[in-house]
Every structure is written in structure tokens, then in C-alpha cells.
Amino acid sequence: MRKLSTLSLLLSFFLIEGCASGGSDKSDEVAEPTARARAEWKIDLPFDEYQLSSSEGAVVFAAQERLTADCMRSTGANWKEIRPGVEEVSSRNKRRYGVIDEGIAASYGYHMPPPGPEVLQRLKEEQEREKDPNSKIYLKAFGEDGFGGCARWAYENLLEGAPGADLDLYNELNRKSFRMSMETPKVEKVMTEWRKCVSRGNYRYVSPIEMSSDSRWFSGKAISGNEKKAAVVDAKCNRKVGLAAIWVQQEAKIQRNLIGANVKYFDDLKEIREINVSAARKVLRAE
């Protein structure tokens, strides 16, 4: 299992991005998407209010890097701080309801487009800094199990005073709202229309999730023309019948009801987020 890095520590609070497709990374084979294309991915849901936004995540990341570096220096170790990379817009739910952008589908098929250059640079620097998990510096930073050391201390420091919360419950509710939304009459009706639409291109799938998860798309090293063709048909049909638009409306209603049924729990999540971000900003102001 990969060690719990400074970034994964802060993101470990929220484990689910969505329930739709992913696939292996073949991002070096195609050009990165434009900022305009990224903006078209933005889909907001009520649960998002209880997660770190992209900009907040960057603040927490920077503060955790600073605290980790301070801790490492106190042990006599040198630790290079890494700048956070931030996407132009939040794209947390961009594949939750299938592929929705025809331009992205035409270039990447069902594979995830690469992150922006700042994020790629951060990933490269993290990989270089943490390439030897058996080194003394690594062990000081992350501990023997990859979940301790100075990085854990920094993580906990930024959550001092925050209420406890069952994070598994958040993931359970997130999955529950997705499943329930698929079973709503309006989504079932529009899903039937989507199936009819893609069948005209000789595709037989129950849902965009099944279509995007077909193992054929991930069996080779390159993104195939057949995959791109299928993804474009999928995205066009999604837009034509209004699948994603109706689906997000139905799931938003369900999530609001779940929040209402678990008020104390979601209040605690909101407080955790606020304490986390406030503590991070305080650390950075003290530079």
C-alpha cells in the first residue's frame, strides 16, 4: 500500500470522488484539456459542502508541508517542501454520471484526462522526494507503516480540536445516494432513453457506468479509436436525453434528505472542514 503522503493525508477525510469510470492513466498520449473543457466538468452536489474544495485543499496541503518540514528539521533531517498543484476548477464529480463532454470523449475515450501542469509537477516532486521508503528520512517523515512520522503529526496538528466523525459513514451515505438516485422513476425513465440512443450505434449497455467500465477500453496501451467512438456516442446520448442533468437533480434531492436525517453528523463534518482550513491558514500566516 502506498504511504500516506501529505496530500493523501488531507484527502483521506473524503474517500469518494464519484462512482463512475476511471481506468489506467495514458495521459502522455494526448494533449492536456483546456481550462474551458475543465470548467464544463463542474457538477455540484450537496455533500460537496462538507469536503475541502480544490483551493482549500491547496491551503491545507501547503500548511501540512510547512509543519512536516518544521518537524523534520527538528530531527536534523532536511525536507524539501512541495508546492500544491490546483486544478482550474473543482472536478470532483466529473465522471459520476458518465462521460458528459464530447470533446473530452473524442480525445480521451473513457480514460481520465491528465491533471494540469502544476499538479503533474507536484506529483513528480513527491515521487522524487519519497522514492526510497527504506531511507531514514522517509521513515522520519512517514513512519515504518507509512501512516506516522512527521506527516501524521502535521496532519493531526491541523485537526486539533475537531470533533470525531465516522468517515466510513460519509462514504456509505455517498454510495447510498448514488444507488438510490439510479432507482428514482425519473432517472430510470431517462436511462431507458439513453439505452435506446446508444443502441442506434450498436452499443448494448445498461448504463453509462457499465459502458465506461467495459474491459475492452483498458486492455491495450493506447486509447483506441473504438473506445473514443463509443465514448463520443455515450456523451452525445447523455446530452441528448438530458441524463446527467436529471440524474444530478434527483441525487441532490436525496443527499439533502440524507443531510436532514443526519444533522449532527454533517454539522460535525462541516466543523472539521472549517477547523482544518482555519488552522492551515494560521500556519501559513505565521511564515
Side-chain angles (χ1 to χ4, degrees):
M1 179 179 291
R2 186 179 184 275
K3 61 92 183 71
L4 196 57
S5 72
T6 49
L7 183 62
S8 61
L9 273 165
L10 75 91
L11 293 181
S12 65
F13 178 56
F14 307 109
L15 302 181
I16 293 184
E17 173 185 271
C19 303
S21 63
S24 59
D25 180 14
K26 302 175 183 178
S27 59
D28 55 346
E29 300 168 9
V30 284
E32 69 173 82
T34 63
R36 180 174 180 273
R38 292 174 194 272
E40 292 173 353
W41 297 342
K42 190 170 176 61
I43 295 176
D44 295 319
L45 286 167
F47 279 12
D48 295 345
E49 183 180 348
Y50 303 91
Q51 303 187 37
L52 295 174
S53 67
S54 294
S55 58
E56 288 172 338
V59 170
V60 174
F61 177 89
Q64 195 165 311
E65 282 284 301
R66 177 56 46 83
L67 291 176
T68 301
D70 289 346
C71 175
M72 293 291 284
R73 281 191 289 268
S74 73
T75 69
N78 185 31
W79 188 252
K80 179 186 176 183
E81 291 182 43
I82 296 175
R83 291 174 57 85
V86 186
E87 296 285 4
E88 285 96 338
V89 297
S90 171
S91 51
R92 183 180 293 122
N93 303 306
K94 61 180 176 286
R95 290 291 180 92
R96 194 172 181 92
Y97 308 108
V99 177
I100 59 176
D101 183 279
E102 295 167 34
I104 297 297
S107 295
Y108 301 93
Y110 287 113
H111 287 76
M112 296 299 290
E118 289 186 359
V119 176
L120 287 174
Q121 180 62 28
R122 172 184 61 75
L123 293 173
K124 180 180 178 181
E125 291 179 9
E126 276 193 321
Q127 185 177 32
E128 176 62 27
R129 183 180 68 179
E130 299 151 20
K131 61 184 178 182
D132 184 2
N134 296 313
S135 68
K136 290 183 179 180
I137 290 180
Y138 182 98
L139 292 175
K140 286 182 179 180
F142 303 109
E144 292 184 358
D145 62 357
F147 293 84
C150 285
R152 168 61 66 175
W153 173 83
Y155 169 74
E156 293 179 347
N157 186 287
L158 295 176
L159 288 172
E160 185 175 356
D166 179 3
L167 305 185
D168 289 337
L169 176 58
Y170 177 88
N171 293 329
E172 180 184 334
L173 292 174
N174 201 342
R175 288 188 290 266
K176 182 178 182 179
S177 72
F178 185 78
R179 290 194 301 268
M180 290 177 65
S181 67
M182 289 189 72
E183 297 171 357
T184 59
K186 289 186 177 181
V187 172
E188 287 184 339
K189 180 179 179 181
V190 75
M191 193 75 76
T192 298
E193 294 303 313
W194 174 87
R195 293 189 197 105
K196 292 178 181 178
C197 183
V198 297
S199 69
R200 298 186 187 104
N202 293 319
Y203 298 105
R204 303 286 188 273
Y205 294 96
V206 173
S207 71
I209 313 309
E210 181 186 53
M211 188 168 180
S212 63
S213 302
D214 193 319
S215 60
R216 289 185 297 165
W217 315 139
F218 309 107
S219 60
K221 293 184 177 180
I223 301 175
S224 70
N226 285 337
E227 177 189 341
K228 294 176 184 178
K229 180 181 177 182
V232 169
V233 170
D234 183 357
K236 283 183 176 180
C237 287
N238 196 318
R239 174 179 54 80
K240 182 177 180 180
V241 304
L243 175 57
I246 293 172
W247 200 342
V248 70
Q249 289 175 355
Q250 296 304 300
E251 186 170 15
K253 292 179 182 178
I254 292 169
Q255 288 195 357
R256 284 192 289 269
N257 289 336
L258 290 172
I259 292 169
N262 299 273
V263 174
K264 176 62 167 59
Y265 176 72
F266 280 95
D267 283 348
D268 285 347
L269 292 187
K270 190 172 184 179
E271 185 177 355
I272 292 171
R273 172 185 175 178
E274 291 171 349
I275 288 174
N276 197 199
V277 175
S278 177
R281 288 172 175 157
K282 184 177 180 179
V283 168
L284 298 179
R285 284 198 299 268
E287 293 180 353

